[in-house]
Amino acid sequence: LVLEDMLTEVVFVCLLQMCSLEEELRLLLAALPQTGFDPCVQYFTSLALRENSQTIAAQKGGLWCFGGNGLPYCESLSAVPADTVELFCLQALVQHSKIPTHCDKIESHGGLQLLQKLYQLRKDSAKIQRSIIHIIGNMALDERLHSSICHAGWVSVLAEVMKSQRIMDSSHAARALANLDRETVHEKYPDGVYLLHPQCRSSQPIKADVLFVHGLLGAAFKTWRQQDIEQSADEKELDVEDEYSECWPKTWLASDFPMLRIISVEYDTHLSDWKAKCPVESYRESIAYRSSELLRKLRAAGIGDRPLIWMSHSMGGLLVKKMLLDASKDPEMDSIVNNTQGIVFYSVPHHGSRLAEYSVNVRFLLFPSVEVKELSKDSPALKALNDDFLSFAKDKKFPVLSFAETLPTRVGRMLSLHVVPMESADLGIGELIPVEVSHLNICKPKNKDSFLYQHTLKFIQETLARQLRS
């Protein structure tokens, strides 16, 4: 009975701490500027401040919906509401942490210490911890806050997370530490720019950069994972799955070319992980907007200072073309063009996709509406982009390698389609190689010995031959 009472008391204290932290998070959010900046940050902050675990718990029925009609995010009543409230608050803080003046406010209101407390209490939630490290990585972009970050105990936490087997966790920590390290790292890694290699200090000189750009519903890590393979019971007993790569650029490519800096970028089709789009966000989804935003971030990360190879999947390839064209017109960005040594396109719809011909539901499943319009076959904007880039690439004599899917991609239960037909994947210059895979697997090699990976490796080796020899 004594032990039972003690356990009950511990649980009660923990619950009080959780409730207190939730309220502290909301107070921190309320202390930050609420107007005069990005309307989407305002929108999501207001949602986080409007909801708490009491209002959620008070809702009846088999499901509760966070945010009511304005936010279609429903969870089972068996979920712990406090977790979700904390995630909402943290995602709002992620958005605030992208604004330098708001980082000052987070620090001055004790946010670094509050986040440290929450991090230690939420070791059961990888997503909460990842969101917190995301915030620290953004705040670390400001050198004035480095002392406060260190004094709040974050360096040892980040160093520990760097050892994680989870690629997302270790890469978030690596980004934060790189932004804190002003002795050996000269570049800064803005939000959404992840350093996959090298993630630790090394005497190995970096000879060139390889930059990975996913498609609009992809991600910096999952897009570039090894192809998922169903294994037999015998294979599982032999622990074959231990060799599976969650991100082949970080594991395989870094091992084969340790002298390369490998970066992967991430940009959300939704503003956050909240499964809701900001009602004023549609302008963000255009290729033109994303090009401008990413170019600025990439230049801050030192892209353009070394020889560079671009690796792109699906609509990410359209974004790469737009970025190179835009960079060629900006004197501050032309080093990116001048140092570009080659481009790899994995099923990029240079001439559009049949996707736009299908129903609204199917289109929504693969691409948001703005991107679908830009993807339409014979779209004037798409044709202009391709014509301009083709002429530009020929003039610059860029080496180009293109892969094209030959298998249909299953969409839902009823439909299979070639997302990017062979003729659309053909840029008109360079080598075009058909591969017997679907659109989703065209950038996911089965293993290191696969044709897809080996041919990519060969292209990098030949394109950077002079840099790799020196």
Side-chain angles (χ1 to χ4, degrees):
L1 286 174
V2 173
L3 180 60
E4 186 177 333
D5 288 343
M6 289 174 62
L7 287 172
T8 302
E9 185 176 345
V10 169
V11 170
F12 179 70
V13 170
C14 287
L15 285 172
L16 282 177
Q17 286 179 316
M18 295 303 180
C19 292
S20 172
L21 283 174
E22 178 189 320
E23 188 57 34
E24 285 185 70
L25 281 172
R26 291 161 56 80
L27 288 172
L28 176 59
L29 270 179
L32 300 178
Q34 303 298 313
T35 58
F37 59 94
D38 189 308
C40 287
V41 179
Q42 294 181 50
Y43 172 74
F44 287 123
T45 301
S46 68
L47 284 178
L49 290 173
R50 194 171 74 204
E51 302 289 358
N52 58 43
S53 55
Q54 283 75 31
T55 61
I56 297 169
Q59 296 188 42
K60 306 297 183 183
L63 292 174
W64 53 265
C65 295
F66 212 76
N69 294 330
L71 193 60
Y73 179 32
C74 297
E75 292 286 349
S76 163
L77 280 171
S78 63
V80 181
D83 286 357
T84 307
V85 175
E86 288 166 4
L87 272 173
F88 264 56
C89 290
L90 287 171
Q91 287 297 317
L93 284 173
V94 166
Q95 302 306 322
H96 280 281
S97 69
K98 297 176 185 179
I99 306 170
T101 55
H102 292 207
C103 289
D104 292 340
K105 297 284 187 184
I106 293 172
E107 188 272 337
S108 65
H109 284 84
L112 290 168
Q113 292 76 16
L114 173 59
L115 292 172
Q116 181 72 262
K117 282 196 295 184
L118 182 60
Y119 185 90
Q120 299 302 330
L121 278 170
R122 285 300 192 190
K123 291 186 176 180
D124 59 331
S125 174
K127 193 165 186 178
I128 284 177
Q129 291 196 324
R130 195 180 306 129
S131 296
I132 292 172
I133 292 176
H134 192 164
I135 294 166
I136 302 302
N138 286 347
M139 294 181 70
L141 288 166
D142 188 341
E143 293 183 38
R144 296 172 306 151
L145 300 178
H146 285 189
S147 177
S148 297
I149 293 172
C150 293
H151 287 153
W154 281 109
V155 173
S156 59
V157 171
L158 295 171
E160 187 62 31
V161 180
M162 276 277 294
K163 303 173 187 176
S164 172
Q165 295 301 306
R166 290 193 290 254
I167 297 288
M168 289 179 66
D169 294 356
S170 63
S171 295
H172 273 285
R175 171 180 168 259
L177 285 172
N179 286 336
L180 286 170
D181 184 0
R182 296 297 90 193
E183 292 181 17
T184 61
V185 181
H186 304 295
E187 304 89 358
K188 291 186 177 181
Y189 296 91
D191 188 81
V193 179
Y194 295 97
L195 178 63
L196 300 182
H197 176 81
Q199 291 189 340
C200 299
R201 290 185 178 186
S202 170
S203 58
Q204 171 88 55
I206 300 299
K207 303 292 184 65
D209 291 334
V210 179
L211 176 63
F212 288 80
V213 184
H214 65 76
L216 285 170
L217 286 184
F221 312 106
K222 72 177 183 180
T223 290
W224 309 105
R225 70 183 185 273
Q226 181 179 356
Q227 185 175 327
D228 299 322
I229 303 171
E230 291 186 9
Q231 296 174 315
S232 66
D234 291 340
E235 288 175 320
K236 289 183 179 180
E237 285 178 10
L238 292 171
D239 290 333
V240 175
E241 68 272 23
D242 289 346
E243 299 176 6
Y244 178 86
S245 174
E246 292 181 357
C247 182
W248 61 262
K250 183 181 186 300
T251 52
W252 302 347
L253 191 60
S255 173
D256 287 324
F257 292 119
M259 71 295 295
L260 298 179
R261 183 176 67 147
I262 303 171
I263 290 176
S264 187
V265 299
E266 181 157 299
Y267 48 96
D268 297 331
T269 46
H270 304 297
L271 185 62
S272 72
D273 291 333
W274 296 352
K275 302 182 182 178
K277 295 174 64 178
C278 172
V280 294
E281 192 195 26
S282 60
Y283 73 95
R284 296 173 181 273
E285 297 170 2
S286 71
I287 290 174
Y289 176 87
R290 295 200 184 280
S291 171
S292 173
E293 182 182 47
L294 267 180
L295 274 175
R296 174 180 53 80
K297 291 182 177 183
L298 292 174
R299 193 68 198 96
I303 293 296
D305 292 344
R306 303 182 185 91
L308 169 67
I309 290 182
W310 300 81
M311 315 283 280
S312 59
H313 174 238
S314 191
M315 288 183 68
L318 304 182
L319 182 54
V320 167
K321 295 195 298 183
K322 178 63 174 168
M323 283 194 285
L324 283 168
L325 286 170
D326 288 349
S328 70
K329 302 167 187 173
D330 185 344
E332 295 183 4
M333 299 288 177
D334 61 2
S335 62
I336 293 178
V337 174
N338 296 334
N339 268 309
T340 291
Q341 305 295 307
I343 311 168
V344 178
F345 294 116
Y346 295 96
S347 278
V348 172
H350 301 291
H351 308 286
S353 171
R354 292 177 183 147
L355 189 63
E357 300 169 12
Y358 289 86
S359 71
V360 172
N361 287 335
V362 173
R363 288 184 299 184
F364 178 77
L365 196 60
L366 293 176
F367 300 106
S369 59
V370 171
E371 285 82 11
V372 169
K373 291 176 183 176
E374 292 188 326
L375 257 189
S376 298
K377 287 182 69 178
D378 305 319
S379 157
L382 196 62
K383 185 177 187 307
L385 173 62
N386 195 63
D387 290 347
D388 290 347
F389 182 78
L390 193 56
S391 174
F392 172 70
K394 286 178 179 177
D395 180 61
K396 294 294 183 180
K397 297 182 172 59
F398 290 146
V400 172
L401 171 63
S402 298
F403 294 102
E405 70 208 53
T406 61
L407 297 182
T409 298
R410 191 168 185 81
V411 182
R413 296 180 179 179
M414 304 296 293
L415 182 66
S416 292
L417 70 150
H418 280 94
V419 178
V420 180
M422 178 83 73
E423 60 271 19
S424 186
D426 186 0
L427 176 62
I429 56 172
E431 186 179 13
L432 175 67
I433 301 176
V435 186
E436 197 174 346
V437 292
S438 68
H439 184 70
L440 297 179
N441 284 331
I442 192 69
C443 55
K444 298 177 179 64
K446 284 186 177 181
N447 51 56
K448 285 190 72 171
D449 296 324
S450 68
F451 173 82
L452 194 58
Y453 180 70
Q454 287 299 318
H455 213 76
T456 298
L457 211 61
K458 181 171 177 280
F459 178 82
I460 294 172
Q461 196 159 25
E462 291 177 351
T463 304
L464 295 176
R466 182 171 56 83
Q467 289 82 9
L468 296 177
R469 277 198 306 267
S470 62

